[in-house]
Amino acid sequence: MAAPAPFRTLRFKFNNLSPFSPTNGNNLFPNRFLRLRLRSTAAAGRCSMFVKSPPAVKNGFLTFNGKNTLLGVPENVVMTPCSDSSAFLGAVSAETNSRHVFKLGVIEEARLLSLFRFKIWWMIPRVGNSAKDIPVETQMLLMEAREQADGNTAYVLFLPILDGKFRSSLQGNLDNELEVCVETGDSTKIGPGSSRAVLVNYGDNPFGLIKESMKILQEYSGTFALRETKQIPGMLDWLGWCTWDAFYQDVNPQGIRDGLKSLSEGGTPARFLIIDDGWQDVANEFQKEGEPFREGSQFGARLMSIRENDKFRKAANDDSSNKPHNLKDFVSDIKGTFDLKYVYVWHALMGYWGGLHPNSPGTQKYNPTIKFPLQSTGNLAHRRDIAMDRMEEYGVGIVDPERIFEFYDDLHRYLVSQEVDGVKVDVQSILETVATGLGGRVSLTKSFHESLEKSISNNFQDNSIICCMAHSTDSVYSAKMSAITRASDDYYPNNPTTQTLHIAAVAYNSLFFGEVFVPDWDMFYSLHDAAEFHAVARAIGGCGVYVSDKPGKHDFEILKRLVLPDGAVMRAKYPGRPCRDCLFVDPVMDRKSLMKIWNLNKLCGVLGVFNCQGAGAWPGLENSVQLDSLELTGEITPADIEYLNEITLQPWTGDFAVFSFKSGSLSRVSLHGKLRVNLKTLQCDVFTVSPIKSYNQDIQFAPIGLINMYNSGGAVDAVEGVDDSSCNKIQIRGRGEGILGAYMNLEPKFCYVNMEEVQFKFSSEQHFLTVTVPTGTNFWEIDIHY
């Protein structure tokens, strides 16, 4: 049976005497039909029915579905309806300028989630209860509102957007007024403001609301594409290794060989490699040889040519045996030796941190000029960044916008000739700081991204780009092809106060980024105090999985819970995002809330629970929290997982089998049934949630998957019941080796793996069946006879 439709629309014709007709004679439905939208979420246990009335601004109130959202809306605010639930908001001034700040109205006593840039490069979440809690540079604002009639929760979403030459962001003031800042980033590009600065939408499912809103915005702007329409690079499905935290800029060929070798010998071979910063031909005039190291001076270095440096290239008179002849020689060698499927290399959007050297023979054809970045007022309101500080001091060698495609095309064509498969493109938000005289930040970013994506398409075969340091909406709303972006600040292995923040930030940021990209959770160390914390997050994040271990420094027990013996990872279906009851709490600093992240596999849900309390504080709030370990107790329920109707097809019993990786226990739970979770700081658990279905009347069955893996359900591809004259059995198809677990109400008679009979164990108390999949098995078909 097909899955129930997520929406049904009923149309009732009425006359002027109808009880649905407005008593004041003003017909809100000019086509004389009332449209009721029934959201079918029976599988998730959330049903609602409500009448949507169009958004409106009247008498100083912005209303959605008849409920006040903003109070005291100024007269210069313009509202343009977009759909039955959405509208554009903006404002104009009598004065023309390159930057305006307009008041939109008051927000008080409402739960809020802001996603804002705390650095020019990166975004983090913040929760609050009124507009004064909304930070400068907010790029997504979600507000909770309660329906007065039935008590159901509804949500209002604010998305500041790009409109012509203006880019918008939100902020609050001390009078609890929501403000929109519109700016061009170029003092010569001025205007009266923007009549369409913010898309505002209303709905009863926060995830569906964000998805619907981004689709509306994509169709309106045409400047970006949604994740579900993009080609997804194949490297996401394989274990990766990034050289950054292993070597930093001291990366070298022998170190890379050593790291690949130790991962392979440990039984978790990397099939994807990122050669990060340190391979390029650069010069740094700001760090003189023999002088004491100046912190941040590396961000002044400039690119001298598009070729590799002498660590990866042998000079004509060099007869050493351990240095490759060139980059191609090295890449070809490691691909053949370690069975690598993908090799990516790092470069900055402008070539290198300090851009291109203006006087180098290898870069002069791109006509670079030194420009000194200028940050916006919004960026200066938050955390300073040493990379940005140094670039402001030293200047950046900006490629002539007329020649930017030529630069990217030359660079990428050269890399392809060296057998490189793709690129990680960093430092993308630099464009907004150098836009004066170059057309403004919106136009400049659009131009560079079009050239970058055209070059990627022309030269690489697999949409092979990872975007990084690109959290500005200038970049997000220019991404027509790019399918992966880093969703967090860096992973800092030597900073114990950032580990919990990293997990929470990516989960919340994925609410926004996940509609346009596959959010990238960054690398991590498998041998680290917080290694399992990070590993579980990657297992459920629907993201790429890559480590940055130093050679020989691995925890293979953790890696083998993530990676199959052939190097494949079992990636979940969607970007991992916070559960609904986590949207307006602070799982890092409120000292009571656990972080819960949900996702789906083909046949089951997965739920990660993390104790992020007591180990760190959000930037800007460091003085308001006590850092000490906390033990917290919380609850989970199958209803924490959204879109369960995608996997609870008939014949579903209405219950779920829930498996805890941490305890190894299996429970039968109803849709809203609860299980308690107890975790200390930096502890986590992952739950596989599988619908129990009826087969052949007598059998109730739910696959758990490979219970030796964090995301156990990712191993299962299909389940089928067979009932004929010859046998009665459940047939499961999947991949990987280890122990298959399943809920089954009756003990089987015997089990087969790929037609070979195997032993099994069955707990009659938990109805827990386990079958060992032999070592060396990549794909299997398991027959359970009863």
Side-chain angles (χ1 to χ4, degrees):
M1 180 181 294
F7 293 98
R8 296 176 181 172
T9 301
L10 302 184
R11 307 177 77 225
F12 295 94
K13 190 171 182 179
F14 60 93
N15 56 38
N16 290 335
L17 299 179
S18 166
F20 295 115
S21 183
T23 56
N24 61 6
N26 295 323
N27 193 342
L28 297 179
F29 305 95
N31 63 355
R32 297 173 63 83
F33 284 90
L34 171 68
R35 301 175 70 89
L36 294 179
R37 298 182 76 194
L38 289 83
R39 187 178 298 267
S40 175
T41 55
R46 299 184 176 107
C47 298
S48 64
M49 182 179 76
F50 58 94
V51 180
K52 279 195 174 180
S53 58
V57 173
K58 188 175 181 180
N59 299 325
F61 294 94
L62 170 66
T63 61
F64 281 86
N65 201 35
K67 307 299 185 296
N68 295 332
T69 299
L70 293 177
L71 315 178
V73 177
E75 290 184 358
N76 68 326
V77 171
V78 179
M79 191 202 76
T80 306
C82 185
S83 70
D84 65 342
S85 64
S86 66
F88 291 105
L89 289 182
V92 292
S93 169
E95 299 180 358
T96 59
N97 210 327
S98 63
R99 181 177 185 270
H100 298 270
V101 175
F102 297 110
K103 297 177 180 179
L104 296 178
V106 174
I107 299 178
E108 293 179 327
E109 298 181 1
R111 296 211 296 172
L112 302 170
L113 168 65
S114 301
L115 300 181
F116 74 102
R117 287 199 296 167
F118 80 103
K119 283 184 187 177
I120 185 173
W121 322 110
W122 307 119
M123 195 164 69
I124 57 174
R126 183 161 296 169
V127 296
N129 296 292
S130 60
K132 70 176 183 296
D133 300 320
I134 301 169
V136 172
E137 275 294 313
T138 287
Q139 300 189 130
M140 190 196 92
L141 174 66
L142 184 66
M143 182 171 76
E144 182 188 67
R146 291 201 171 270
E147 291 286 314
Q148 295 177 1
D150 57 12
N152 287 334
T153 302
Y155 305 86
V156 180
L157 177 70
F158 297 81
L159 289 176
I161 65 174
L162 310 181
D163 182 36
K165 57 193 171 189
F166 283 100
R167 175 259 183 187
S168 303
S169 61
L170 296 171
Q171 59 195 46
N173 64 29
L174 294 178
D175 293 323
N176 282 329
E177 293 169 312
L178 176 66
E179 298 176 335
V180 59
C181 173
V182 296
E183 54 192 333
T184 67
D186 183 341
S187 59
T188 68
K189 297 294 180 182
I190 61 176
S194 169
S195 62
R196 298 190 176 196
V198 185
L199 176 68
V200 192
N201 199 4
Y202 168 90
D204 67 339
N205 182 309
F207 306 98
L209 175 62
I210 296 171
K211 184 180 186 67
E212 177 186 62
S213 301
M214 293 299 282
K215 185 175 182 180
I216 290 172
L217 184 54
Q218 186 276 327
E219 291 174 349
Y220 164 75
S221 70
T223 61
F224 68 100
L226 301 174
R227 169 184 51 80
E228 60 194 24
T229 69
K230 294 178 177 179
Q231 179 184 356
I232 304 300
M235 37 69 59
L236 287 175
D237 295 317
W238 302 91
L239 175 67
W241 181 53
C242 179
T243 62
W244 180 244
D245 284 311
F247 306 108
Y248 299 111
Q249 290 171 320
D250 294 328
V251 60
N252 61 85
Q254 188 56 49
I256 292 174
R257 291 190 183 98
D258 292 343
L260 292 171
K261 181 181 179 182
S262 61
L263 282 169
S264 182
E265 289 178 345
T268 57
R271 300 295 185 225
F272 165 53
L273 169 69
I274 300 177
I275 303 176
D276 213 291
D277 188 1
W279 69 272
Q280 291 172 285
D281 179 18
V282 300
N284 186 353
E285 61 189 272
F286 305 102
Q287 181 63 58
K288 305 299 183 183
E289 188 173 351
E291 293 183 357
F293 175 71
R294 185 184 183 195
E295 185 181 9
S297 61
Q298 66 270 29
F299 301 117
R302 309 197 201 283
L303 196 69
M304 303 298 287
S305 75
I306 61 174
R307 304 179 73 182
E308 66 274 28
N309 59 36
D310 58 9
K311 290 186 291 184
F312 292 85
R313 171 178 291 276
K314 186 181 294 187
N317 60 352
D318 188 346
D319 59 358
S320 60
S321 60
N322 63 342
K323 184 180 288 188
H325 289 283
N326 50 39
L327 186 60
K328 180 178 180 179
D329 177 37
F330 173 66
V331 173
S332 177
D333 175 57
I334 59 176
K335 280 185 174 181
T337 303
F338 301 106
D339 196 20
L340 282 170
K341 296 179 180 293
Y342 305 94
V343 173
Y344 281 31
V345 299
W346 178 99
H347 71 78
L349 188 73
M350 212 63 71
Y352 200 69
W353 292 97
L356 272 57
H357 198 290
N359 301 316
S360 171
T363 60
Q364 283 182 329
K365 66 180 291 191
Y366 311 115
N367 195 25
T369 56
I370 302 298
K371 286 183 70 73
F372 291 85
L374 294 173
Q375 292 193 68
S376 70
T377 303
N379 289 333
L380 293 173
H382 290 309
R383 180 65 60 90
R384 298 291 302 185
D385 178 80
I386 189 169
M388 195 69 246
D389 289 345
R390 292 294 179 260
M391 285 187 276
E392 287 177 333
E393 179 182 355
Y394 301 144
V396 178
I398 303 298
V399 181
D400 185 342
E402 296 295 323
R403 299 185 182 180
I404 187 60
F405 172 72
E406 184 180 9
F407 169 66
Y408 290 142
D409 191 54
D410 286 350
L411 172 59
H412 296 155
R413 192 153 27 92
Y414 176 72
L415 292 173
V416 170
S417 76
Q418 304 300 296
E419 298 194 9
V420 170
D421 302 289
V423 288
K424 173 184 174 183
V425 183
D426 216 338
V427 204
Q428 293 197 15
S429 292
I430 189 63
L431 290 173
E432 68 186 76
T433 71
V434 295
T436 291
L438 295 177
R441 59 189 293 173
V442 175
S443 173
L444 187 65
T445 302
K446 181 175 182 289
S447 172
F448 269 63
H449 273 272
E450 284 181 348
S451 296
L452 175 64
E453 293 188 339
K454 181 180 178 182
S455 177
I456 297 293
S457 178
N458 286 356
N459 291 290
F460 298 114
Q461 302 299 310
D462 194 38
N463 196 15
S464 302
I465 177 173
I466 301 171
C467 298
C468 193
M469 299 175 77
H471 281 200
S472 171
T473 47
D474 307 63
S475 295
V476 175
Y477 293 143
S478 296
K480 284 189 173 182
M481 190 189 76
S482 304
I484 305 172
T485 198
R486 266 273 302 282
S488 72
D489 196 350
D490 288 5
Y491 165 71
Y492 296 107
N494 299 321
N495 187 344
T497 68
T498 63
Q499 308 307 312
T500 56
L501 276 65
H502 190 107
I503 302 307
V506 178
Y508 285 99
N509 287 344
S510 294
L511 290 165
F512 177 58
F513 290 131
E515 298 304 326
V516 182
F517 306 99
V518 175
D520 179 274
W521 289 63
D522 202 14
M523 64 201 86
F524 69 102
Y525 280 165
S526 72
L527 188 62
H528 190 271
D529 291 342
E532 185 163 67
F533 207 70
H534 284 277
V536 168
R538 279 32 169 218
I540 66 172
C543 55
V545 178
Y546 57 108
V547 294
S548 194
D549 294 348
K550 296 179 184 298
K553 303 293 185 180
H554 315 286
D555 186 329
F556 287 109
E557 185 177 358
I558 286 177
L559 287 174
K560 287 179 180 180
R561 296 169 182 171
L562 281 170
V563 185
L564 300 177
D566 63 355
V569 296
M570 302 186 302
R571 190 162 60 92
K573 187 175 181 178
Y574 295 119
R577 287 162 286 183
C579 293
R580 204 177 288 209
D581 61 357
C582 291
L583 291 176
F584 301 103
V585 302
D586 186 347
V588 170
M589 295 179 60
D590 71 10
R591 302 182 69 81
K592 61 184 180 181
S593 301
L594 294 173
M595 176 87 248
K596 298 191 293 185
I597 302 172
W598 68 271
N599 213 324
L600 291 178
N601 294 298
K602 287 183 180 179
L603 299 178
C604 59
V606 60
L607 185 65
V609 186
F610 305 81
N611 184 346
C612 299
Q613 302 283 350
W618 294 116
L621 302 177
E622 290 91 344
N623 296 327
S624 58
V625 68
Q626 179 181 355
L627 299 184
D628 59 353
S629 182
L630 291 174
E631 186 169 355
L632 297 178
T633 299
E635 294 177 335
I636 66 144
T637 171
D640 285 329
I641 299 173
E642 303 288 331
Y643 305 140
L644 284 173
N645 58 321
E646 294 183 13
I647 61 171
T648 52
L649 306 182
Q650 295 296 334
W652 178 43
T653 65
D655 287 343
F656 294 85
V658 180
F659 174 75
S660 161
F661 182 89
K662 188 170 183 282
S663 68
S665 61
L666 184 68
S667 305
R668 180 167 181 152
V669 183
S670 65
L671 177 64
H672 293 286
K674 297 179 179 180
L675 295 175
R676 295 179 70 81
V677 184
N678 187 267
L679 297 171
K680 297 178 181 179
T681 298
L682 282 170
Q683 285 187 342
C684 59
D685 198 357
V686 57
F687 295 86
T688 297
V689 179
S690 184
I692 300 172
K693 299 180 181 180
S694 297
Y695 295 86
N696 310 329
Q697 296 182 342
D698 296 330
I699 296 299
Q700 294 183 357
F701 183 85
I704 300 300
L706 293 179
I707 61 175
N708 50 294
M709 308 294 285
Y710 290 127
N711 182 23
S712 59
V716 181
D717 291 325
V719 174
E720 182 180 0
V722 178
D723 182 12
D724 56 35
S725 58
S726 60
C727 68
N728 295 321
K729 66 180 180 181
I730 301 293
Q731 191 173 78
I732 315 170
R733 293 190 297 277
R735 58 182 176 142
E737 63 182 46
I739 300 174
L740 175 86
Y743 174 94
M744 195 167 182
N745 64 325
L746 298 177
E747 183 172 357
K749 293 181 179 178
F750 37 82
C751 297
Y752 292 87
V753 176
N754 291 340
M755 302 181 70
E756 295 286 335
E757 186 172 0
V758 296
Q759 297 296 312
F760 64 86
K761 295 180 180 179
F762 183 78
S763 166
S764 57
E765 181 181 355
Q766 296 186 65
H767 301 286
F768 195 5
L769 170 68
T770 56
V771 179
T772 299
V773 178
T775 301
T777 305
N778 289 325
F779 296 94
W780 39 258
E781 186 175 280
I782 297 177
D783 294 328
I784 302 169
H785 293 255
Y786 56 91

